[in-house]
Amino acid sequence: MSITQINRVRINEGLFDLTLDLEKGLISRIAPSTNASAGVNTSNIRDAEGLHYLPSTTDMHIHLDKHFLGEPWKPLQPFITLPGQLSFEKKMLAALSTTVAERARRLINLLLSHGTTKIRTHVDVDPQIGISHLEHVLQVREEYRGVMEIEIVAFPQQGLLRSDSIKVMKDALRAGAEYVGGVDPAGLDRQVDRSLEATFELSAEFNAGVDLHLHDPGHLGLYTIGRFADLTAQAGKGGRTAVSHAYCLGQVAEQESRDLAQLLKANDVAIITSVPLDRAMPRVDQLIAEGVMVHVGSDNILDAWSPFGNGDLLARGAKLAEKFGWILDDALLQTYPLISENPLTPKEGDAASFILVAAANAKHAIASAPIREAAFSGGKLVGGKWSEQYSLISI
């Protein structure tokens, strides 16, 4: 059973009937609703009764291979040192009886249920596990092709230089990863410049993007981001690099972070945040004002680092807006481009990837993060309350 038309969908202040081209995965027609649109519920037509349209969300920082969703409860340990936590995580993951592929499917299904249809996942590689995690994620990516778009970052979680992972990173990039990952060139690798240079050498060799985890604080982190931006420019990688977390941007004086934001804008480097509650985070409002591309991601979801997280990007966007005091309409609306690649107002020919929610308008939806009544990806119903009445797509 497939839904090919949805009537009385609220878009801005009006009600519209949407026709879905399931073969192409597009919205083929958007027409104002008429009296005849009301109350029509057949096998292929559904009356949305004024549910509000929002484009599907994009999670730009997640770890498909590291969560414990569906597993027995795992007690965590206090974070003391990064190397100690990395060792703890490896032991916990190695003890699981389920495969990376099984766990990846669980998390993807959860994300789809919330209306996320594109993700960027970091996948651990190192000399001990090789590219075994990546091979599972590549398999799952094929299974979900056409429903979930998945970008893959080869992630040397134990430190690119510290764990001697350059060779295995090359294996990962040959196998199909599109981004070179990294973590704390100073705090973990203890060689800021050499670590960053090695990262960009891999990027150049494999024509890959770069997405760096950066937890290093204060001016150390600021220096690292500055060098990262310089290397992005030297490599001609503008628009293809990002720094994830970048807590330091919220730990230094506002003028210092503004100066660096201008460098990020000039060299087209993005910042990705998970909107942490327990520490400083980048001044997102300042970054937006300076024209820096900012994205939001879930990061940890019930894993060795945190028992929290539910994969709901709309709720995370609401958390960000609340944290920065974005209570005015225009401020609320600036949240959505951080969690979605698509415009709030659809047009004919757009991808049929969207969610329907009970909300007065888009501002209300962003602020309240309501339950998804329906979630579509490429015209296919993949989540929300409607999925209880219709069969979900078989993957």
Side-chain angles (χ1 to χ4, degrees):
M1 200 292 302
S2 300
I3 297 174
T4 57
Q5 183 170 314
I6 309 174
N7 293 342
R8 297 201 297 166
V9 175
R10 183 166 300 281
I11 301 172
N12 299 323
E13 302 305 318
L15 294 177
F16 296 86
D17 299 344
L18 307 184
T19 302
L20 309 182
D21 183 331
L22 302 186
E23 184 176 339
K24 296 180 179 178
L26 304 175
I27 301 172
S28 59
R29 185 170 182 266
I30 304 174
S33 298
T34 65
N35 290 336
S37 304
V40 180
N41 284 293
T42 67
S43 60
N44 299 107
I45 301 174
R46 182 71 187 248
D47 183 2
E49 301 181 42
L51 292 175
H52 203 285
Y53 173 100
L54 292 172
S56 62
T57 53
T58 302
D59 194 319
M60 290 298 283
H61 189 112
I62 205 161
H63 297 266
L64 287 180
D65 60 328
K66 296 158 82 78
H67 67 86
F68 303 142
L69 291 172
E71 302 294 323
W73 182 258
K74 309 292 182 184
L76 303 185
Q77 69 175 17
F79 182 95
I80 300 174
T81 66
L82 182 55
Q85 187 67 18
L86 294 175
S87 176
F88 175 67
E89 179 187 55
K90 278 186 75 87
K91 290 177 183 176
M92 293 187 78
L93 290 173
L96 296 177
S97 61
T98 49
T99 67
V100 168
E102 290 175 285
R103 298 195 301 276
R105 293 186 193 102
R106 289 177 192 165
L107 182 49
I108 291 172
N109 288 335
L110 176 64
L111 297 170
L112 285 170
S113 75
H114 291 309
T116 291
T117 58
K118 178 180 178 180
I119 62 174
R120 177 180 295 176
T121 181
H122 298 252
V123 181
D124 283 12
V125 301
D126 65 45
Q128 285 70 51
I129 64 171
I131 63 169
S132 59
H133 287 203
L134 175 65
E135 289 170 337
H136 281 254
V137 173
L138 286 168
Q139 170 194 333
V140 172
R141 177 163 72 174
E142 287 305 309
E143 294 172 8
Y144 283 81
R145 190 172 294 280
V147 179
M148 177 68 81
E149 183 179 349
I150 303 175
E151 297 178 348
I152 298 177
V153 185
F155 182 39
Q157 168 79 87
Q158 307 296 316
L160 179 63
L161 303 183
R162 176 179 176 269
S163 64
D164 193 21
S165 287
I166 290 177
K167 180 183 181 299
V168 74
M169 286 289 287
K170 290 185 177 182
D171 293 340
L173 291 160
R174 290 190 190 99
E178 300 105 334
Y179 285 81
V180 179
V183 57
D184 293 351
L188 197 58
D189 273 344
R190 298 191 177 277
Q191 300 179 65
V192 180
D193 292 293
R194 180 61 196 126
S195 180
L196 288 174
E197 288 163 1
T199 298
F200 276 88
E201 287 165 5
L202 286 167
S203 171
E205 182 176 350
F206 292 92
N207 189 27
V210 182
D211 191 334
L212 175 73
H213 281 66
L214 183 65
H215 314 99
D216 287 336
H219 291 93
L220 178 59
L222 220 61
Y223 171 80
T224 303
I225 294 176
R227 286 292 295 131
F228 185 93
D230 290 342
L231 289 167
T232 294
Q234 292 172 24
K237 294 284 182 178
R240 300 183 64 195
T241 69
V243 179
S244 289
H245 306 314
Y247 305 133
C248 60
L249 290 174
Q251 296 170 332
V252 298
E254 286 193 30
Q255 187 57 53
E256 291 177 297
S257 61
R258 180 174 291 108
D259 290 343
L260 190 52
Q262 291 168 357
L263 180 64
L264 293 172
K265 167 60 177 176
N267 294 334
D268 202 4
V269 176
I271 295 293
I272 302 174
T273 180
S274 61
V275 196
L277 296 178
D278 59 344
R279 66 195 72 191
M281 62 172 284
R283 296 180 173 100
V284 174
D285 46 1
Q286 184 185 74
L287 292 169
I288 293 173
E290 296 297 336
V292 178
M293 182 64 69
V294 180
H295 304 290
V296 172
S298 293
D299 194 18
N300 306 103
I301 295 179
L302 184 57
D303 61 10
W305 303 78
S306 170
F308 305 112
N310 62 3
D312 187 342
L313 255 287
L314 189 56
R316 196 157 293 252
K319 181 170 76 170
L320 185 146
E322 185 175 8
K323 184 163 185 170
F324 283 91
W326 293 351
I327 62 173
L328 302 181
D329 282 3
D330 287 347
L332 280 170
L333 288 176
Q334 75 180 350
T335 306
Y336 219 82
L338 310 183
I339 62 172
S340 178
E341 293 184 341
N342 301 308
L344 282 166
T345 302
K347 62 182 185 301
E348 293 178 356
D350 282 354
S353 298
F354 56 90
I355 56 182
L356 299 177
V357 295
N361 51 42
K363 284 86 70 175
H364 181 209
I366 292 166
S368 61
I371 292 171
R372 305 316 101 90
E373 300 294 330
F376 287 82
S377 180
K380 303 176 181 69
L381 180 64
V382 294
K385 288 184 178 180
W386 288 11
S387 67
E388 299 170 4
Q389 304 166 35
Y390 297 91
S391 297
L392 284 172
I393 178 175
S394 298
I395 303 298

